[in-house]
Amino acid sequence: MGQAGPDGSPLARQALDWLLEMAQERGTGLAWTGRADDDELDPTLYSGTAGIVLALLEGYRHFGEDRYAQAAVRGARTLAAAVAQEWPLASLYFGLAGLAFVLREVGDMLGDRHAAQATVNALDLVRSRFDGQRWADQFELLGGNAGIALGAARAGDLDLAVLAVTPYLAAAEPTAAGVHWEVRAGVPARFHHLSHGTLGIVYALAATGHAAGRADLIDLAWRARSMSSRATRPARTGFWSRTPTRSTSRNGSSATATAGATARRATPRPSGC
């Protein structure tokens, strides 16, 4: 067996402490901008307060220091305020689904009732904005249905998760290798990576199908997974060949945390695949 690597805890503590130093007071809440040199507050999971609250929760879980939990609760108040002001986007990384996911984590881990109620309010807003097919031009993980399904499932609303992924059944485009989708309205190119492509949709279909016991969603995930595998296999370049890198935004761990929290078990392979 190989030797254990160096303990990253000191570096993690320094990063968390820096985030606390950069927090902006907003009444009883805390808020952050997307960059240190930016003046615009950002509540999102992708580049703002929601992602930082998630990191603070992980810090509290690891170090057991109340100051991280207290800051997470105060950050959640800012997220609840964004929900009350009806943040205009519904998506996981840029909108209400991401806020709901993080608010649910705060409510569950720290027993914060206000965060728990804000989770319900955020999910109600997301549901109210569904047009029967989608929430925006984006139809993938970061900005569209796939991410909303993952966020809703983790936030405790499996019905909304199923609602979000069901349109993929009718919208799938068959190919010789499997299926794929138009991931942004009006864009002719078809992408196969995780954030804006087929793999992100595969992930949402598999996770939601497994949680809801929907064999049709799982089967579609396997068909699309075959497409992605063939599309990326020959050259061994790009997405599959690179060593994963960290985001340069403050909350670069949020994507990893989201993925780990939303699907913890392998999806069973359907017969015939």
Side-chain angles (χ1 to χ4, degrees), residues 157-169:
D157 194 335
L158 187 57
D159 289 340
L160 179 57
V162 171
L163 183 72
V165 294
T166 297
Y168 290 121
L169 293 165

Side-chain angles (χ1 to χ4, degrees), residues 13-26 29-42 47-49 52-53 56 67-68 71 74-75 78 248-251:
R13 190 191 298 276
Q14 290 174 28
L16 290 166
D17 291 348
W18 182 79
L19 289 172
L20 294 181
E21 291 176 6
M22 298 303 296
Q24 297 190 23
E25 300 276 346
R26 287 294 181 271
L30 291 177
W32 286 263
T33 59
R35 299 189 309 272
D37 60 353
D38 193 357
D39 294 329
E40 184 176 356
L41 296 178
D42 181 348
S47 57
T49 298
I52 292 170
V53 168
L56 291 168
R67 60 198 181 107
Y68 297 138
R74 295 186 65 191
T78 300
T248 54
S249 64
R250 294 183 192 172
N251 59 329

Side-chain angles (χ1 to χ4, degrees), residues 83 100 103 114-127 155 157:
V83 173
L103 285 163
H114 297 294
Q117 182 57 54
T119 302
V120 175
N121 297 341
L123 293 172
D124 286 345
L125 278 172
V126 173
R127 183 178 279 100
D157 194 335

